[in-house]
Amino acid sequence: MVGTGIRADLPWWALAAAALPTAGLGGWTGAQIGRQRGIRNEVLEPGETVLDTYTVRPPYTEHTPPAAHEGPQYQLRATTRSLEMWERSALLWRHPWPELRLVMVGPRLHIQHGGREAGTMLLEQPGAAQEICGVARRYGVN
């Protein structure tokens, strides 16, 4: 076989034996990701859309890191109406944009709601804090 990258001397059943568990694991992981997205999308109001999701570094290092299929532990999700903090499939808080105040200090993003600190985030993606502040200005944050 030319150009396929498959060895012609392997029997078909050896390839099938390797492909079946891989396909099963891929399907199961996809189902878990879809389940998490479904849970998160249930809190959206009619007409509200997700703008972006940002991975937040955890405040401490876990002794055993999460399995790859679990995804990041903490995520900040920006929508057209609010900012949400998620721990995998659990909503920790959700605040409308006009009620928030965002302050950037270096790479950290301080989020205040009602005059109190809602959280201090260290985001994984470079430039994510600036991006969130831009989105916040667009949706009514001072």
Side-chain angles (χ1 to χ4, degrees), residues 40-63:
R40 289 182 178 188
N41 288 342
E42 285 178 2
V43 302
L44 294 175
E45 297 173 5
E48 183 177 16
T49 59
V50 175
L51 301 172
D52 212 341
T53 302
Y54 306 91
T55 300
V56 178
R57 287 191 189 157
Y60 57 88
T61 304
E62 296 179 4
H63 294 288

Side-chain angles (χ1 to χ4, degrees), residues 69-80:
H69 71 274
E70 292 179 336
Q73 183 174 1
Y74 298 103
Q75 288 188 315
L76 198 60
R77 185 167 86 158
T79 73
T80 53

Side-chain angles (χ1 to χ4, degrees), residues 48-118:
E48 183 177 16
T49 59
V50 175
L51 301 172
D52 212 341
T53 302
Y54 306 91
T55 300
V56 178
R57 287 191 189 157
Y60 57 88
T61 304
E62 296 179 4
H63 294 288
T64 54
H69 71 274
E70 292 179 336
Q73 183 174 1
Y74 298 103
Q75 288 188 315
L76 198 60
R77 185 167 86 158
T79 73
T80 53
R81 297 189 183 159
S82 65
L83 191 62
E84 305 167 350
M85 182 65 183
W86 290 87
E87 183 176 4
R88 293 197 177 93
S89 294
L91 179 63
L92 300 177
W93 52 258
R94 172 184 165 97
H95 301 302
W97 285 115
E99 297 176 10
L100 292 175
R101 181 169 180 261
L102 305 179
V103 179
M104 272 186 12
V105 179
R108 297 192 190 300
L109 179 66
H110 297 273
I111 302 170
Q112 298 175 352
H113 176 256
R116 295 175 24 168
E117 188 84 14

Side-chain angles (χ1 to χ4, degrees), residues 1-8:
M1 298 183 130
V2 177
T4 62
I6 299 174
R7 291 185 50 163

